[in-house]
């Protein structure tokens, strides 16, 4: 079984910043912070972003506050998605359909998004049905923890046919590459997010592509 673990933002879709806008609006309105601090989003987990925001504003990083931020974010995300002109990235739908037509390929997610945030984003863009399992950013402050969760989910999904030597992570940030190394996976890095190919090359992915538009090239690489 070939296992493919896809990142979401900057790899499958570009939401035009809808996720960040929904999160910041939730923080502003539900926590009364007029000017939330700028914290890095790219490659981070939602749990980690929450911790950073709380720390910047000296808010207790408690389960209750985290739940309040999640609830506020998930309520606003469907409102922001249609406003932002996001899109499915080039070649993604064609690639997923081709992969699905192949035997012995398991397609999952390895994302810093909340599980429900991933579902809302991918459903909005008509991609959610393609992913049977995943690792998510609800609990892990660090992407390496998400990678471990994704592998455990892949193993369970494969029901005995999981092959730890045939796991790929497909992502758009240096953090996707480093978390893949933590699970001994290969990496296809794609320069459709915030990081240009030259910068991704510094992290030594196994394969580096400008985008996923050439389905044959991608499928030949992932084997
Ligand atoms: Mg990404």
């Amino acid at each position: 079984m070939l296992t493919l673990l896809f990142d979401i933002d900057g790899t499958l879709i570009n939401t035009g910043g809808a996720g960040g806008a929904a999160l910041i609006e939730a923080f502003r309105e539900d926590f009364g912070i007029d000017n939330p601090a700028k914290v890095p989003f790219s490659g981070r987990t939602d749990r980690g972003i929450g911790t950073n925001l709380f720390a910047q504003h000296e808010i207790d990083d408690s389960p209750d506050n985290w739940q309040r931020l999640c609830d506020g974010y998930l309520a606003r995300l469907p409102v922001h998605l249609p406003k932002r002109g996001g899109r499915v990235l080039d070649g993604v739908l064609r690639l997923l359909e081709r992969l699905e037509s192949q035997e012995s390929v398991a397609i999952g997610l390895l994302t810093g998004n909340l599980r429900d945030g991933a579902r809302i984003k991918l459903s909005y863009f008509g991609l959610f049905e393609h992913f049977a399992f995943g690792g998510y950013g609800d609990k892990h402050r660090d992407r390496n923890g998400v990678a471990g969760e994704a592998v455990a989910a892949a193993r369970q999904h494969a029901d005995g046919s999981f092959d730890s030597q045939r796991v790929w992570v497909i992502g758009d940030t240096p953090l996707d590459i480093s978390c893949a190394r933590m699970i001994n996976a290969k990496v296809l890095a794609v320069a459709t997010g915030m990081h240009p190919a030259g910068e991704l090359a510094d992290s030594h992915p196994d394969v580096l592509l400008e985008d996923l538009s050439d389905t044959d090239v991608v499928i030949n690489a992932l084997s």
Side-chain angles (χ1 to χ4, degrees):
M1 174 77 74
L2 174 65
T3 300
L4 306 178
L5 302 172
F6 284 86
D7 169 59
I8 294 180
D9 297 292
T11 301
L12 298 172
I13 60 174
N14 179 336
T15 68
L23 187 71
I24 292 302
E25 186 179 281
F27 196 64
R28 187 182 287 132
E29 294 180 356
D30 296 352
F31 289 85
I33 302 293
D34 287 339
N35 289 302
K38 294 248 186 306
V39 300
F41 283 13
S42 181
R44 268 60 175 195
T45 71
D46 283 350
R47 188 68 189 87
I49 292 167
T51 291
N52 282 347
L53 278 172
F54 291 147
Q56 291 287 327
H57 296 282
E58 298 182 350
I59 293 168
D60 186 17
D61 189 2
S62 65
D64 282 354
N65 280 334
W66 169 236
Q67 191 60 52
R68 182 147 53 113
L69 186 57
C70 289
D71 291 346
Y73 164 66
L74 292 170
R76 288 170 176 86
L77 183 56
V79 179
H80 282 274
L81 282 166
K83 292 181 184 171
R84 290 282 174 155
R87 65 188 184 96
V88 179
L89 291 168
D90 293 344
V92 164
L93 185 58
R94 192 166 56 237
L95 173 62
L96 292 172
E97 288 173 347
R98 272 279 293 283
L99 289 168
E100 263 168 355
S101 72
Q102 299 191 342
E103 294 274 318
S104 299
V105 179
I107 307 172
L109 296 167
L110 194 174
T111 173
N113 278 275
L114 299 178
R115 181 186 289 265
D116 286 341
R119 178 181 50 75
I120 290 168
K121 287 181 182 178
L122 293 176
S123 296
Y124 178 76
F125 290 104
L127 298 179
F128 183 63
E129 63 182 335
H130 297 284
F131 300 93
F133 61 92
Y136 303 91
D138 299 69
K139 296 194 297 279
H140 307 286
R141 290 179 174 81
D142 172 310
R143 200 171 188 90
N144 294 340
V146 178
E149 182 181 317
V151 164
R155 195 180 285 278
Q156 188 173 28
H157 173 77
D159 195 21
S161 56
F162 179 76
D163 181 350
S164 63
Q165 304 299 308
R166 298 187 72 211
V167 179
W168 283 79
V169 170
I170 300 97
D172 70 304
T173 72
L175 291 172
D176 292 87
I177 300 170
S178 55
C179 84
R181 299 315 182 197
M182 291 296 294
I183 54 170
N184 294 315
K186 292 183 176 157
V187 192
L188 189 165
V190 60
T192 43
M194 288 173 51
H195 302 271
E199 186 185 335
L200 293 169
D202 291 343
S203 299
H204 308 293
D206 298 280
V207 177
L208 176 58
L209 296 174
E210 284 291 341
D211 58 41
L212 299 176
S213 61
D214 191 328
T215 308
D216 289 330
V217 166
V218 179
I219 288 191
N220 287 335
L222 298 172
S223 53

